[in-house]
Amino acid sequence: MRSAFALNLLKIISLLPLGLARFFGDIMGVMMALFATAAYKTTKQNLDHCFPDKSPQEKTALARSRMKHLGQAFFETPGLWRRSSKWLQSKIVAVEGESHLKEAIANDRGTILLIPHQGNWEVIGLWVATQTAMTSLYQPPKNSLLGNWIKKSRERTGATLVPTNVRGVAALLKALNRGETVAILPDQQPPKASGDFAPLFEKPALTMTLTYNLLNRSNSQALFCTALREKGGWRLHFSPADQAIYSDDQAISLKAMNLGVEVIADQAMDQYQWEYKRYRTQPDGYPPIYLSGS
């Protein structure tokens, strides 16, 4: 019953015009900051951890602005899942570095799109899937009704979603060897067996080795991309990854990948997902980052 309610609520939200959805998102963000929600507290902790030299006032302003963008993402995303690719195209206000994407699609090397949790990453998946064959990993939510709706919505522009397991990784590698495109969110904390520590904002972060392994088992190329929230829609940005990401040395490759995440986040720091507990797992001997109960 709760699953059906959640799905129906999102379907109602999906009917909102983009401007109105973002207006409600702003209100939600103000409330999250005002009542010091878990998302707001984690954002503050991440900012304190990563930017000790910023003033408390700067970090508070950034955290409050982040909550507004988080609220906007909540209200605008159901509309993305519901509306047509033609509608989405009308909301793309600019595409920076599109030549990098076109060049990558035109050759047969296979392309790994690295999409940090910045802006609205759903936009990238839906838009790029109209340009080329694309495969992405997908871990459905516990709410199966919602999961089926999201999966169907993400696949309607042509993307193929595969599970986040060995079978799914094999599907990514096969797609790359066919010269196709795969999408990866590079700044999720992996299980310990699937990652290693690398600097992110100059702090050790358990970083997935999936991209490193795919690059070393294929002839593929890597592009960083993001969809930044702008008035009236989104500004897309594509840029080649630093050459160090192709290194045979895993530590060098992971460091380069995290540096790419930083460069993307730097474009609009308040649109980065600071509410995610990215530093949950710390190297042995390091103190915990997140306060107990937060």
Side-chain angles (χ1 to χ4, degrees), residues 12-291:
I12 292 171
I13 291 173
S14 75
L15 299 174
L16 294 172
L18 182 61
L20 188 57
R22 289 181 172 178
F23 172 76
F24 285 134
D26 275 348
I27 295 174
M28 178 180 175
V30 170
M31 293 297 103
M32 285 192 290
L34 182 64
F35 291 101
T37 61
Y40 182 72
K41 289 178 181 177
T42 300
T43 295
K44 291 290 295 291
Q45 289 166 353
N46 277 328
L47 295 176
D48 285 340
H49 180 60
C50 294
F51 306 111
D53 293 334
K54 284 186 180 291
S55 71
Q57 294 80 10
E58 286 179 296
K59 287 182 281 192
T60 295
L62 180 53
R64 288 173 177 170
S65 183
R66 172 58 202 155
M67 290 302 98
K68 289 185 178 181
H69 279 287
L70 179 58
Q72 288 183 43
F74 174 81
F75 277 94
E76 74 185 14
T77 298
L80 282 169
W81 290 333
R82 171 184 171 270
R83 291 184 170 92
S84 68
S85 55
K86 183 178 179 180
W87 176 88
L88 176 60
Q89 183 61 50
S90 73
K91 300 300 179 182
I92 304 302
V93 300
V95 182
E96 299 172 348
E98 187 174 11
S99 61
H100 297 304
L101 177 65
K102 288 184 175 180
E103 182 181 343
I105 291 172
N107 66 49
D108 59 0
R109 289 180 57 191
T111 302
I112 299 176
L113 288 182
L114 296 170
I115 314 171
H117 288 83
Q118 171 88 343
N120 195 320
W121 51 94
E122 294 285 347
V123 172
I124 291 288
L126 292 169
W127 188 82
V128 172
T130 66
Q131 318 289 317
T132 183
M134 190 172 78
T135 304
S136 305
L137 293 175
Y138 175 60
Q139 184 170 2
K142 293 180 181 179
N143 182 335
S144 60
L145 288 175
L146 177 60
N148 290 335
W149 184 57
I150 293 174
K151 185 174 186 292
K152 183 179 178 181
S153 300
R154 285 177 173 173
E155 291 183 327
R156 65 180 165 74
T157 58
T160 299
L161 271 60
V162 296
T164 55
N165 55 27
V166 173
R167 184 164 60 89
V169 173
L172 295 183
L173 185 58
K174 288 178 181 178
L176 289 173
N177 288 331
R178 291 193 300 265
E180 297 175 1
T181 299
V182 306
I184 294 175
L185 302 174
D187 51 350
Q188 289 179 308
Q189 180 174 274
K192 270 194 170 182
S194 301
D196 201 357
F197 287 98
L200 178 66
F201 298 103
E202 300 183 357
K203 306 296 181 180
L206 186 60
T207 301
M208 65 170 64
T209 54
L210 173 60
T211 300
Y212 167 78
N213 291 329
L214 289 173
L215 288 171
N216 276 272
R217 296 175 64 186
S218 67
N219 187 37
S220 54
Q221 59 216 316
L223 291 180
F224 275 93
C225 48
T226 187
L228 297 174
R229 198 168 288 107
E230 299 278 359
K231 183 177 180 180
W234 297 271
R235 171 170 55 90
L236 309 187
H237 176 84
F238 297 88
S239 57
D242 189 283
Q243 284 298 309
I245 203 171
Y246 302 104
S247 174
D248 292 335
D249 186 318
Q250 179 176 284
I252 293 174
S253 179
L254 297 188
K255 182 178 180 180
M257 185 174 73
N258 281 353
L259 179 60
V261 171
E262 293 178 27
V263 171
I264 291 292
D266 234 8
Q267 294 193 41
M269 201 64 82
D270 57 352
Q271 294 196 39
Y272 189 65
Q273 189 178 246
W274 293 107
E275 68 279 359
Y276 177 57
K277 293 185 177 182
R278 183 66 181 84
Y279 301 93
R280 272 193 314 273
T281 303
Q282 288 290 290
D284 292 342
Y286 279 60
I289 302 304
Y290 306 107
L291 302 177

